[in-house]
Amino acid sequence: YGKSGQRSNEACHDINYIAISGGLGATGPADRPPYPPLNLLADFGGGGLLAAFGIVGALYERSRSGKGQQVDAAMIDGCISMMAMHFPDWGKEVLPERGVGLISGSAPYYRCYECADGRYISVGSLEQAFFDALWRTVGEGERPDHMDVANWPAIEAHLTQVFRSKTRDQWTARFEGIDACVAPVLTPDEVWNEPQVRARHPGSGNDSVPAVPLFSRTRLRPAALDMTDRTTEILEELGLGKEEIAAARGPEAANPITGLSWPPQMKNADQMAAIVKGTRSQPRGDKK
């Protein structure tokens, strides 16, 4: 939560930061509770990436002023910053409420469709040229005005039926070379065999994710994972004495890694999918 404010010493996770930033309240299905997009937004996007950006910015400023400074990179601030485009749209026709709007999943040309094999295809045919290409490929009859919300039910019904007629990979092949912004929804273990990913990052995989961005001269390679606790070593290099280090580390110094180990050891994990699917299929009652 950052160095200041009443929550500054409060423990929270990614889901809490995106909840308070407005991101969670603006995403997900309209008829179910919000679902967090893993821990991508606050932990890695609003936290790690913006913290790294802040460090680079401070180093650059130091090269000009000769002075160092602290970087207060709060995950909640990062999430709020990433919502800057969407805050002005909230409550308006582009994003009137959660799960409703142009790019929140309700527009029939900006959502995912189930294919014949139970897998999914993503459609992002938002602009006119892309929707024209989509309709030329899978549409029938005169191209509808996709920006007229009154046409959305008919467009969705047609696309739902069409995409269920072939497998995901058949649709992927069908749209190859067509600029309609259509792409397969891949599972994590399928990513590394996708032609574009394989061409840019050969040899990468779930346990060897590439270092990005790519540099023309100084290409980086991901370092081996090192979980060694170097807190004392670093504080000694900074000139702190033993008492100062002990005070900084606190009572958990003997066992610095606390809380949930990753990946955690879960019981009956093989039942998880069935439980989640069963919960989602339960009737939710009338909305009051």
Side-chain angles (χ1 to χ4, degrees):
Y1 282 117
K3 294 183 64 178
S4 58
Q6 65 185 49
R7 291 182 181 269
S8 59
N9 291 319
E10 184 177 321
C12 277
H13 270 299
D14 179 286
I15 188 173
N16 310 120
Y17 299 123
I18 63 175
I20 289 183
S21 72
L24 193 60
T27 57
D31 61 342
R32 291 197 297 274
Y35 260 65
L38 301 180
N39 64 328
L40 300 177
L41 293 184
D43 283 357
F44 302 133
L49 288 179
L50 285 181
F53 182 78
I55 291 169
V56 172
L59 289 172
Y60 177 73
E61 196 278 336
R62 183 200 62 180
S63 70
R64 304 178 68 183
S65 67
K67 298 179 180 179
Q69 59 186 312
Q70 291 185 342
V71 179
D72 186 357
M75 293 185 186
I76 186 173
D77 293 350
C79 292
I80 289 174
S81 176
M82 291 190 292
M83 282 289 292
M85 170 183 171
H86 304 290
F87 280 133
D89 295 330
W90 182 250
K92 300 177 182 177
E93 59 183 11
V94 174
L95 188 60
E97 58 183 281
R98 183 170 61 83
V100 179
L102 194 62
I103 57 173
S104 57
S106 59
Y109 43 83
Y110 201 89
R111 51 159 292 187
C112 297
Y113 287 91
E114 186 176 5
C115 301
D117 56 354
R119 296 178 177 180
Y120 295 89
I121 197 84
S122 67
V123 177
S125 307
L126 191 61
E127 291 82 355
Q128 183 74 59
F130 299 141
F131 186 80
D132 287 347
L134 172 70
W135 204 253
R136 286 196 303 269
T137 306
V138 299
E140 61 180 21
E142 184 179 355
R143 185 194 68 77
D145 181 359
H146 71 302
M147 296 303 290
D148 186 345
V149 176
N151 293 328
W152 284 12
I155 296 173
E156 179 178 357
H158 175 70
L159 294 181
T160 298
Q161 181 181 16
V162 167
F163 281 117
R164 282 179 177 168
S165 66
K166 299 180 185 297
T167 67
R168 183 200 65 183
D169 293 345
Q170 287 176 322
W171 282 120
T172 301
R174 177 70 181 87
F175 277 94
E176 185 174 355
I178 299 176
D179 275 338
C181 295
V182 175
V185 178
L186 304 179
T187 56
D189 58 320
E190 293 179 302
V191 170
W192 311 108
N193 287 322
E194 200 279 330
Q196 175 69 11
V197 176
R198 190 171 63 243
R200 287 179 62 82
H201 308 292
S204 296
N206 283 1
D207 296 320
S208 56
V209 177
V212 295
L214 304 183
F215 293 91
S216 61
R217 286 191 305 103
T218 56
R219 185 153 183 164
L220 302 175
R221 295 188 179 277
L225 182 63
D226 183 359
M227 296 293 290
T228 304
D229 177 23
R230 303 188 188 278
T231 306
T232 299
E233 177 184 340
I234 292 172
L235 294 179
E236 287 177 344
E237 291 179 359
L238 293 174
L240 273 69
K242 291 183 178 180
E243 292 183 0
E244 293 174 302
I245 293 174
R249 298 207 55 170
E252 296 179 349
N255 184 24
I257 300 178
T258 61
L260 187 68
S261 61
W262 202 266
Q265 299 298 312
M266 301 177 65
K267 298 178 180 179
N268 302 316
D270 57 328
Q271 301 178 20
M272 187 185 307
I275 292 173
V276 172
K277 290 179 180 178
T279 301
R280 289 181 182 175
S281 64
Q282 294 298 317
R284 297 178 181 83
D286 296 331
K287 291 184 177 181
K288 301 294 186 182

